[in-house]
Amino acid sequence: MAIVRFSPWREIDSLQKEMNRLFDTFAPTTNGEEKGIAFTPAAEMHENHNAIELKLEIPGLEAKDLDVQVTASAVAIKGERRQESQTELQGMTRSEFRYGAFQRVISLPGRVQNDQVKADYKDGILHLHLPKAEAEKNQVVKVNID
């Protein structure tokens, strides 16, 4: 059996190559095609006694381009950002915008009345007001002690 000398630099180099490979899957390529993660809208959720307020950041779309579906326990948002056609004879065009279809499903912390949801889309922010189901509201019940 051959003796192999330990070299920490070889291990660090190997780790760096592995990390580079990992990050390359998340970064767009130079020709604009996505290799890794697709566009996912950022979300913000607030819960109070009566409702759940959900905001999603979806810039560059119109309300008609969004498909929002609500069940009693989750919200699904679908949409597609279409690329505008460009023709340029001279020069170079570089775009870091993300185009294509996206979908996000967000689980809710409690059950909601999905037939009472109100939505508003303004300035690239989708705001959903999700009223809680009666069973999910904190109800105070008098307990008799024997």
Side-chain angles (χ1 to χ4, degrees):
M1 178 174 196
I3 297 176
V4 178
R5 179 174 276 187
F6 175 71
S7 172
W9 301 115
R10 187 176 330 136
E11 297 297 322
I12 291 172
D13 186 49
S14 174
L15 179 62
Q16 182 180 12
K17 287 179 183 176
E18 202 57 39
M19 292 298 288
N20 287 341
R21 213 178 352 257
L22 175 68
F23 284 118
D24 284 344
T25 63
F26 296 118
T29 61
T30 54
N31 63 4
E33 295 176 6
E34 296 292 326
K35 287 170 58 177
I37 295 177
F39 169 69
T40 303
E44 188 175 279
M45 186 183 309
H46 299 282
E47 181 179 8
N48 60 38
H49 179 69
N50 296 320
I52 298 170
E53 304 292 330
L54 180 63
K55 292 194 299 188
L56 289 111
E57 185 179 42
I58 312 173
L61 293 178
E62 296 181 23
K64 65 179 177 68
D65 295 331
L66 294 173
D67 178 24
V68 180
Q69 298 178 5
V70 180
T71 66
S73 60
V75 175
I77 299 97
K78 296 178 189 175
E80 184 173 358
R81 185 177 292 158
R82 293 177 182 83
Q83 186 172 9
E84 298 171 8
S85 60
Q86 297 180 15
T87 56
E88 187 174 321
L89 299 175
Q90 294 179 346
M92 182 180 96
T93 301
R94 177 179 172 164
S95 176
E96 294 181 356
F97 288 7
R98 294 177 185 239
Y99 297 100
F102 65 88
Q103 176 179 354
R104 178 154 188 197
V105 178
I106 299 172
S107 297
L108 300 173
R111 299 182 67 74
V112 297
Q113 298 176 14
N114 58 341
D115 58 342
Q116 302 293 319
V117 174
K118 294 181 182 161
D120 179 37
Y121 182 69
K122 183 178 178 185
D123 297 331
I125 305 293
L126 174 64
H127 180 266
L128 297 173
H129 175 80
L130 307 150
K132 288 184 178 179
E134 289 298 321
E136 292 296 319
K137 293 181 182 176
N138 292 333
Q139 297 178 347
V140 177
V141 178
K142 175 90 169 122
V143 177
N144 294 324
I145 301 174
D146 292 327

